[in-house]
Amino acid sequence: MRAIDIATEYYSKTIKCSEDIFIVEKNFFDICFWARESCREIFSTNSLRYDLVRKIDDVGMEVDRYIYRRRFKILKNAQLGKNSLSRAMNHPKKAIKWFIERWINTFMNLSTNKKYKNYIDVGLIGHELHENIDYLDNDCLSLIIKEEEKIELEKQQKRMKKCSSLIGMVTDGKVGGESTESGGTQMIFLF
């Protein structure tokens, strides 16, 4: 049995009227959980969308917030007959199925549609960005490359400081060297 079928069967028995999905917060978040599981189920079997499976939990929280803020508007439009939920409001099973499908559709929009990039940029999920990165450049890959180049430059500067201080110690006569039995050179510090 699929997750969407489990959710519709179970919650259709506990929810008395379809409006409770949007009004009662416990019902709303319980169905959001099942919507997330349904989404995971669908995308794990679809090879073209398999990359989105690992982002379901991260983006799913944003989808929950996105729908939660708009839930009363969705319900009002359904009561006025302005959206497809109006046809599903007569029966809780249909309303639950509509909600889960709407959740999956919103997930797809937030994670793949560029128009939603101002709301959430899914490409940045999983990347830890530091405070010293220049945020004017929107290309995430170039930001990461700039940060790696900066770290490498700092490492090179530290090595150069160590080398210059060691060269200074050798020229001042504070460091010397002597040959070992194996043919290598052993460093000697003079105090």
Side-chain angles (χ1 to χ4, degrees):
M1 191 173 223
R2 297 179 333 174
I4 193 168
D5 298 330
I6 293 170
T8 55
E9 287 299 320
Y10 177 75
Y11 287 104
S12 65
K13 294 174 184 172
T14 60
I15 295 173
K16 300 206 181 343
C17 65
S18 299
E19 288 85 10
D20 288 348
I21 297 169
F22 299 95
I23 296 171
V24 180
E25 287 188 17
K26 183 186 179 329
N27 292 339
F28 179 85
F29 288 111
D30 287 347
I31 295 173
C32 282
F33 167 79
W34 284 102
R36 193 176 295 176
E37 293 304 312
S38 296
C39 188
R40 189 183 325 274
E41 208 173 69
I42 290 169
F43 293 147
S44 63
T45 58
N46 185 345
S47 61
L48 298 175
R49 299 289 181 201
Y50 191 75
D51 60 323
L52 295 175
V53 172
R54 62 185 172 86
K55 294 184 179 185
I56 286 175
D57 291 327
D58 296 327
V59 179
M61 291 186 303
E62 294 300 322
V63 173
D64 292 349
R65 285 188 204 118
Y66 187 85
I67 294 176
Y68 184 78
R69 282 189 225 129
R70 289 161 179 77
R71 72 182 198 257
F72 294 121
K73 183 179 179 183
I74 293 169
L75 186 59
K76 182 180 176 185
N77 286 339
Q79 290 169 344
L80 296 174
K82 292 183 177 180
N83 60 19
S84 60
L85 177 61
S86 62
R87 292 186 299 274
M89 289 299 283
N90 296 335
H91 199 277
K93 278 186 182 182
K94 291 179 183 177
I96 293 167
K97 187 174 181 180
W98 180 92
F99 182 87
I100 291 173
E101 290 170 352
R102 181 72 218 152
W103 193 98
I104 293 169
N105 188 17
T106 304
F107 173 81
M108 285 296 297
N109 285 336
L110 288 178
S111 57
T112 59
N113 193 341
K114 293 179 183 178
K115 292 179 183 177
Y116 286 84
K117 212 169 200 173
N118 292 336
Y119 184 78
I120 179 175
D121 190 1
V122 179
L124 295 178
I125 290 178
H127 295 291
E128 182 180 336
L129 297 176
H130 301 285
E131 294 174 353
N132 54 0
I133 294 179
D134 182 17
Y135 287 95
L136 297 175
D137 189 6
N138 288 332
D139 188 14
C140 184
L141 183 60
S142 66
L143 288 174
I144 293 170
I145 291 171
K146 285 180 186 178
E147 184 66 18
E148 289 175 354
E149 288 174 351
K150 182 180 175 184
I151 292 170
E152 187 61 35
L153 181 64
E154 289 172 357
K155 286 180 183 178
Q156 287 178 354
Q157 289 174 345
K158 285 180 183 178
R159 278 187 242 137
M160 291 301 290
K161 281 184 181 178
K162 287 179 183 178
C163 288
S164 64
S165 63
L166 186 60
I167 290 171
M169 289 174 73
V170 169
T171 55
D172 291 343
K174 295 180 180 176
V175 176
E178 69 178 29
S179 296
T180 61
E181 291 178 10
S182 64
T185 304
Q186 179 177 343
M187 187 177 284
I188 301 172
F189 291 97
L190 303 172
F191 297 100

